[in-house]
Amino acid sequence: MKKRRTSDQQEAEKALVGAMAAEMIDTDMAIGLGTGSTVRHFAQALGQRIRTGLRVRVICTSRQSEMLAKQNDIPTTDFDRVPSLDLCVDGADEVSLDFDMIKGGGGALLYEKIVAAASSRRIYLADSTKLVGKLGQFPLPVEICRFGHQNVLSHLGRLARQCALRRRDGDAVITDAGNYIVDCQFGEIDQPASLHRRLCDIPGIVETGLFCDMIDMLITIKEDRPVVLTSPSEAFWAP
Ligand code: A5P
């Protein structure tokens, strides 16, 4: 059974996986910098290495990650100057035993997926609360175009058990790309890749938070220590 974690323990786990990822960065790498509270720890540890001589450039996946780069003295670049990345480092909302993920809790899923696709290797960081048998407890974020969103919402409403336009302080959240996010409950997701394709067939759906077959390396926590996994056959958590 999954151990209960206090928020302090969860934060400590995020710091451990973030620090381990920062140790894997070699000088002169071009890196995709993910978004979220786990990546914040990675950025802090990377910033420390940069201050002692490491040379890297990052492409950010959100305004929030641009802020992180700035706060930690991490030089940024863009796809005009660096067409492809050596690796990207990002967090996850859920990781299944099959190494599929739900991402987008922070609303950056579109840029996160673009950056992941442009990276030769992808490292994902997950504290132990993110490890699940099958995806679906965390509502699936789906990014949709604002134009005609009413139709897409009713389409999603027919497919999902529940879905809701993401709001903050009463207003619909607008992503860095200018779209809306819909959070969808599908129950347990048996076939994430086919659900992703089905959703992407709906005109107006820009991207889904299903990240399938994208993990090259998962850094997570086993028995209170950070561990590196490279294949679903190494997944150790209970379904
Ligand atoms: C951002 O849109 C997300 O995909 C994050 O990477 C994910 O939500 C993980 O966030 P935390 O590290 O804050 O849990």
Side-chain angles (χ1 to χ4, degrees):
M1 215 175 74
K2 203 190 255 186
K3 268 208 232 166
R4 283 183 183 274
R5 303 267 87 175
T6 64
S7 58
D8 281 354
Q9 285 169 325
Q10 190 182 1
E11 209 51 37
E13 291 190 357
K14 289 178 184 189
L16 286 173
V17 296
M20 183 178 252
E23 287 307 314
M24 293 180 178
I25 306 304
D26 294 326
T27 210
D28 286 333
M29 273 187 165
I31 304 163
L33 183 64
T35 297
S37 53
T38 316
V39 167
R40 189 175 67 235
H41 290 284
F42 166 70
Q44 285 166 350
L46 186 64
Q48 280 173 13
R49 290 198 61 201
I50 288 170
R51 286 190 282 278
T52 56
L54 181 78
R55 267 197 328 265
V56 289
R57 298 145 295 161
V58 301
I59 292 185
C60 297
T61 52
S62 62
R63 291 203 195 106
Q64 194 206 72
S65 108
E66 278 168 15
M67 293 256 300
L68 271 182
K70 204 167 165 193
Q71 286 161 357
N72 293 287
D73 305 317
I74 304 171
T76 55
T77 185
D78 55 43
F79 282 118
D80 285 328
R81 285 175 283 177
V82 177
S84 65
L85 298 166
D86 297 299
L87 64 85
C88 73
V89 179
D90 205 347
D93 296 306
E94 276 187 351
V95 183
S96 73
L97 284 167
D98 293 331
F99 267 29
D100 294 320
M101 292 180 285
I102 287 183
K103 286 183 52 55
L109 61 113
L110 175 60
Y111 289 0
E112 288 174 338
K113 208 176 263 189
I114 291 171
V115 164
S119 302
S120 306
R121 278 172 58 232
R122 296 173 277 251
I123 300 180
Y124 289 96
L125 311 177
D127 65 73
S128 60
T129 68
K130 311 291 181 60
L131 307 175
V132 297
K134 286 187 180 176
L135 301 179
Q137 284 161 38
F138 192 92
L140 175 67
V142 177
E143 183 151 350
I144 67 168
C145 188
R146 277 194 274 174
F147 177 80
H149 72 273
Q150 298 85 345
N151 291 320
V152 178
L153 260 178
S154 43
H155 204 137
L156 282 171
R158 289 191 295 275
L159 287 178
R161 290 183 183 173
Q162 263 188 332
C163 69
L165 198 61
R166 190 178 294 180
R167 293 183 181 277
R168 193 177 301 126
D169 302 327
D171 295 325
V173 169
I174 297 179
T175 67
D176 289 348
N179 299 309
Y180 286 150
I181 299 275
V182 187
D183 292 301
C184 303
Q185 284 285 0
F186 284 96
E188 216 166 65
I189 301 174
D190 286 321
Q191 297 188 327
S194 73
L195 177 61
H196 168 74
R197 282 192 298 273
R198 192 163 164 209
L199 292 172
C200 288
D201 276 348
I202 301 169
I205 289 189
V206 179
E207 191 49 88
T208 83
L210 288 166
F211 283 55
C212 301
D213 204 18
M214 297 194 103
I215 298 179
D216 293 308
M217 184 183 285
L218 177 69
I219 306 183
T220 186
I221 299 287
K222 185 179 181 186
E223 289 158 10
D224 299 326
R225 292 212 167 82
V227 284
V228 173
L229 312 183
T230 54
S231 131
S233 63
E234 297 171 306
F236 57 85
W237 55 97

